[in-house]
Amino acid sequence: MKSFFKNENSFVLNIIKVSSGNGLSKLLAFAVMPVLTKIYSPKEFGDLSVFISTLSILGSFITLRYSSATPIERDPKKILNLLAICLFFVFGITLLISIVFLILNIFYSERFDNNFEFFSIFICLSLFFLIFVQPHDLTVWVF
């Protein structure tokens, strides 16, 4: 009976550790907000939110979730094949998105902001490098 409470106590302590880390990060973001509002204009915050939203939506499709199969597979040859498939999709989908942004930039440039060229280039580069940053994708299981 004593060991049950000991395990439960460590479980509660682990929950407190995780939630306190999340709470401290939210508190830090809230504390820094007045400084950031003095430095950046509302338009720049809007540009950042559009960038993050676009990156989040397109980033979820970049590997077609083939990267989630890497922790399941045990054979190193098949893992490397999955890595090659994922990188092929990353290159292909990033190229496709780059072409779409190029067409939008050519034909509809008068409707967009002056920063649309920079935005489209930065989105494509960020999508390409996003695969190496996301912890649940390739980097944890292959490297």
Side-chain angles (χ1 to χ4, degrees), residues 63 66-87 131-132 134-143:
T63 61
Y66 273 95
S67 58
S68 60
T70 52
I72 298 169
E73 188 56 53
R74 298 285 181 217
D75 186 20
K77 277 186 167 179
K78 290 184 180 178
I79 291 175
L80 287 176
N81 287 340
L82 284 171
L83 174 66
I85 289 171
C86 287
L87 289 177
I131 188 68
F132 301 109
Q134 291 177 342
H136 57 79
D137 279 345
L138 302 177
T139 54
V140 171
W141 305 110
V142 176
F143 296 117

Side-chain angles (χ1 to χ4, degrees), residues 7-122:
N7 290 338
E8 183 178 316
N9 191 21
S10 66
F11 177 72
V12 171
L13 285 175
N14 288 337
I15 289 176
I16 290 172
K17 285 179 190 176
V18 170
S19 62
S20 66
N22 189 15
L24 285 175
S25 69
K26 301 286 184 190
L27 186 65
L28 180 68
F30 184 72
V32 173
M33 191 58 70
V35 175
L36 291 177
T37 55
K38 295 288 183 188
I39 297 172
Y40 300 110
S41 69
K43 181 192 178 308
E44 290 168 335
F45 274 115
D47 290 343
L48 177 66
S49 67
V50 167
F51 172 75
I52 290 174
S53 299
T54 307
L55 193 64
S56 297
I57 291 168
L58 295 176
S60 63
F61 298 110
I62 198 78
T63 61
L64 301 178
R65 301 301 296 163
Y66 273 95
S67 58
S68 60
T70 52
I72 298 169
E73 188 56 53
R74 298 285 181 217
D75 186 20
K77 277 186 167 179
K78 290 184 180 178
I79 291 175
L80 287 176
N81 287 340
L82 284 171
L83 174 66
I85 289 171
C86 287
L87 289 177
F88 175 75
F89 283 135
V90 167
F91 285 125
I93 293 174
T94 303
L95 182 66
L96 183 70
I97 291 171
S98 300
I99 291 170
V100 168
F101 276 132
L102 180 67
I103 291 170
L104 285 174
N105 202 8
I106 290 172
F107 292 113
Y108 298 107
S109 62
E110 67 275 353
R111 292 187 182 189
F112 293 122
D113 194 356
N114 292 338
N115 295 332
F116 185 72
E117 290 178 27
F118 176 74
F119 176 78
S120 60
I121 292 170
F122 199 59

